[in-house]
């Protein structure tokens, strides 16, 4: 168990458009989901933490109006990149914390590659 | 602030041999968790091993073991009997115990390991 999926797995969009990425916990309820950004061959940087039913907590330097996060249910969190620009091109990864477990156990999704032209 | 440093961007090892990946970290915390994650070419992050700082005994998981030196703030990963499937990028990560509910992971830069046949 403990499978996390992301959709889409990759997306190409034009500059100025908005892109929505979904993160789903398939076989467990996730009270908390985390969104990371990873540049090629680089580390993962935490962007924000989303808790079901409440506003996301953004890391310093991450624009909350640029990266909209919604965690509407215990199995789904979405990240919307608004008015995307080429510098937003990156690999976006989500992880989920299972309800009842501490957050030191996180299950990662397979990631979404975003390319903005 | 906590930092995690992996000083080996790339490493290679012959199949069946042993390799050690280095990780150092900087923190003023006394209680924390350390992790090694594997990111294979599929990009799916997988937890390899976890160590609680309060435990003196080094964690082991089959062919994977760590050498945790708390005073030196060192946390190396040893892979024994390397297999082709071990080829991946390996990330060392840190979490404060006080963040074990929020789940904030701080990642190192990563080490790309190639296992050669």
């Amino acid at each position: 168990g403990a499978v996390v999926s992301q959709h889409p797995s990759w997306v190409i969009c034009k500059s100025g458009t908005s892109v929505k990425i979904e993160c789903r916990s398939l076989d467990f309820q996730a009270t908390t989901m985390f969104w990371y950004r990873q540049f090629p061959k680089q580390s993962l940087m935490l962007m924000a933490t989303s808790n079901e039913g409440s506003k996301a907590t953004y890391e310093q330097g991450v624009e909350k109006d640029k990266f909209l996060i919604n965690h509407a249910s215990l199995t789904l969190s979405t990240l919307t990149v608004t008015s995307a620009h080429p510098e937003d091109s990156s690999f976006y990864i989500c992880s989920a914390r299972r309800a009842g477990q501490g957050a030191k156990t996180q299950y990662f999704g397979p990631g979404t590659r975003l390319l903005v032209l | 602030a906590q930092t995690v440093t992996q000083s080996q961007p790339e490493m290679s090892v012959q199949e069946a041999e042993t390799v050690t990946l280095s990780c150092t970290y900087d923190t003023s915390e006394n209680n924390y968790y350390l992790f090694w994650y594997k990111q294979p070419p599929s990009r799916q992050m997988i937890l390899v091993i976890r160590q609680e700082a309060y435990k003196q005994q080094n964690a082991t998981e089959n062919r994977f073991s760590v050498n945790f030196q708390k005073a030196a703030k060192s946390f190396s990963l040893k892979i024994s009997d390397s297999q082709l499937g071990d080829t991946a990028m390996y990330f060392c990560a840190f979490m404060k115990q006080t963040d074990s509910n929020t789940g904030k992971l701080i990642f190192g830069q990563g080490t790309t390991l190639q296992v050669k046949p």
Side-chain angles (χ1 to χ4, degrees), chain A residues 34 43 59 97 106 108 113, chain B residues 43-44 101-104 108:
Chain A
F34 308 88
S43 187
E59 294 298 305
R97 164 192 172 186
Q106 294 183 27
F108 284 81
R113 185 175 301 283
Chain B
R43 307 300 295 270
Q44 176 82 57
N101 281 325
T102 59
K104 181 173 181 177

Side-chain angles (χ1 to χ4, degrees), chain A:
Chain A
V3 178
V4 175
S5 71
Q6 284 184 238
H7 179 80
S9 56
W10 61 272
V11 57
I12 302 173
C13 70
K14 292 182 178 179
S15 185
T17 61
S18 294
V19 175
K20 181 184 284 188
I21 302 170
E22 293 184 348
C23 177
R24 291 182 185 272
S25 55
L26 298 185
D27 52 0
F28 66 98
Q29 292 185 328
T31 48
T32 307
M33 288 185 173
F34 308 88
W35 287 96
Y36 295 86
R37 182 173 181 177
Q38 184 182 26
F39 291 102
K41 295 195 175 183
Q42 292 190 29
S43 187
L44 282 75
M45 300 297 295
L46 180 65
M47 298 174 65
T49 302
S50 80
N51 293 295
E52 186 265 337
S54 63
K55 290 185 179 179
T57 302
Y58 290 82
E59 294 298 305
Q60 193 172 8
V62 177
E63 299 176 58
K64 62 180 180 181
D65 295 330
K66 173 76 172 175
F67 299 99
L68 300 178
I69 292 172
N70 186 358
H71 192 159
S73 78
L74 284 172
T75 60
L76 174 64
S77 176
T78 60
L79 167 67
T80 301
V81 183
T82 62
S83 186
H85 290 284
E87 58 266 27
D88 299 324
S89 298
S90 190
F91 194 65
Y92 293 89
I93 302 174
C94 73
S95 70
R97 164 192 172 186
R98 188 199 293 257
Q101 278 188 347
K104 59 181 183 288
T105 300
Q106 294 183 27
Y107 303 97
F108 284 81
T112 296
R113 185 175 301 283
L114 171 63
L115 176 62
V116 185
L117 302 177

